[in-house]
Amino acid sequence: MSSSNSSQSNVSLQKPNGQPPNLPPTDEYGGLLPQLLASPRKCDAAAGMSWIVKAFGLFKDQPLLWFGMSVTFLIIVGIASSIPLLNILIIPTLFMFLGGFIKGAAAQSQGAELRFDHLFSAFKSHWQPLLILGLLYLVGIIICMIPLFIAMGSMMFSMMTGGMGSSYGMMNDISLGSIFLGYLLSMLLIIPLYMALWFAPALVVLHNLEPIAAMKKSFEAGKVNVMPILVYGLISVLLLPILTMLTLGLGVLLILPIMLLTYYTSYRDVWTDQPVSAV
């Protein structure tokens, strides 16, 4: 009995090489921060609505700061988009701003202070992996649009050659049909691209995953959460534009920060042991 007690008392938390153990990260009060799950959680369809509701909850707690960050983001993107060459380079940079919003949301939800400079914080801490994500997104979009480009090129060729003797009406119908098919194929290809990138920025800035590893995990999560993502997409596509029209466009300034914050709330539900839907 005594030997058993002595062996238990000599148990050490140190690693075999004498290094301290890897303890889970905690906040300033010692509370455990959200831990990354080994595999994604499968959420029910209603979670798609919950992500938006929880994002609105974060927004209304600090509306002026989120509003100011969103307006600044829009101004920067608007100016850069009007300058040749920068309008292409701004696309990869968007992921750095998105990383800043995610870091700000994480700080606020964990009881820390939300600051305006969170908007630019990812430029300092994770600019390289986020830039890689943005470049992969840009390349992916170009690849996804190839069917549409081919269809439009085919239509232009038919118009230039006069339709090879065919009637204009038949040529027009064939051209419109090919463009529709090309557009449909491009949209189908974009779906897996978005699945691979939706959770990736949060996994990069909050868990320091490499870009490719983050994209693989994001795609894995998208496959098991098709229904909540579909619900989220339907709400975004159908209801939010209506709100924008009813507010004469001013609703964009309210919708934008909420939509950006859903990148964080959806990540918390799917990839952590502290889902926001349970709060």
Side-chain angles (χ1 to χ4, degrees), residues 202-266:
L203 295 173
V204 166
V205 300
L206 299 180
H207 299 282
N208 296 312
L209 266 65
E210 294 297 322
I212 299 300
M215 291 177 67
K216 289 180 179 179
K217 281 186 171 292
S218 180
F219 185 76
E220 179 187 358
K223 288 192 300 182
V224 299
N225 285 283
V226 173
M227 288 308 298
I229 291 175
L230 180 62
V231 170
Y232 171 87
L234 288 174
I235 295 173
S236 302
V237 171
L238 298 177
L239 296 183
L240 298 181
I242 295 175
L243 176 60
T244 301
M245 289 187 293
L246 292 177
T247 58
L248 301 178
L250 296 177
V252 172
L253 299 177
L254 170 64
I255 294 170
L256 178 62
I258 294 175
M259 291 296 96
L260 291 172
L261 288 171
T262 58
Y263 280 91
Y264 175 74
T265 55
S266 59

Side-chain angles (χ1 to χ4, degrees), residues 64-261:
L64 293 181
L65 262 178
W66 287 121
F67 180 80
M69 291 165 65
S70 301
V71 170
T72 303
F73 169 67
L74 281 178
I75 292 174
I76 294 174
V77 171
I79 294 174
S81 299
S82 64
I83 302 175
L85 295 181
L86 278 181
N87 54 3
I88 298 177
L89 296 176
I90 191 64
I91 295 177
T93 310
L94 293 178
F95 282 79
M96 299 186 204
F97 286 109
L98 178 56
F101 273 93
I102 292 172
K103 292 182 71 174
Q108 179 182 333
S109 66
Q110 293 157 14
E113 178 187 5
L114 174 66
R115 306 183 311 274
F116 180 82
D117 63 359
H118 271 117
L119 178 62
F120 307 100
S121 60
F123 281 82
K124 302 176 182 178
S125 61
H126 295 85
W127 72 269
Q128 188 173 11
L130 290 174
L131 180 62
I132 293 174
L133 281 182
L135 291 173
L136 291 173
Y137 169 74
L138 182 59
V139 172
I141 285 292
I142 293 174
I143 294 174
C144 291
M145 297 304 290
I146 287 177
L148 182 57
F149 293 153
I150 293 175
M152 294 180 67
S154 176
M155 183 189 72
M156 294 298 295
F157 180 77
S158 298
M159 293 176 63
M160 292 172 61
T161 58
M164 296 295 185
S166 61
S167 66
Y168 176 79
M170 181 180 296
M171 181 185 68
N172 191 47
D173 290 342
I174 294 175
S175 299
L176 290 177
S178 64
I179 289 179
F180 176 76
L181 180 60
Y183 174 80
L184 182 61
L185 290 174
S186 292
M187 292 303 102
L188 290 176
L189 290 173
I190 284 176
I191 292 174
L193 176 63
Y194 281 159
M195 288 170 60
L197 286 165
W198 181 264
F199 300 102
L203 295 173
V204 166
V205 300
L206 299 180
H207 299 282
N208 296 312
L209 266 65
E210 294 297 322
I212 299 300
M215 291 177 67
K216 289 180 179 179
K217 281 186 171 292
S218 180
F219 185 76
E220 179 187 358
K223 288 192 300 182
V224 299
N225 285 283
V226 173
M227 288 308 298
I229 291 175
L230 180 62
V231 170
Y232 171 87
L234 288 174
I235 295 173
S236 302
V237 171
L238 298 177
L239 296 183
L240 298 181
I242 295 175
L243 176 60
T244 301
M245 289 187 293
L246 292 177
T247 58
L248 301 178
L250 296 177
V252 172
L253 299 177
L254 170 64
I255 294 170
L256 178 62
I258 294 175
M259 291 296 96
L260 291 172
L261 288 171

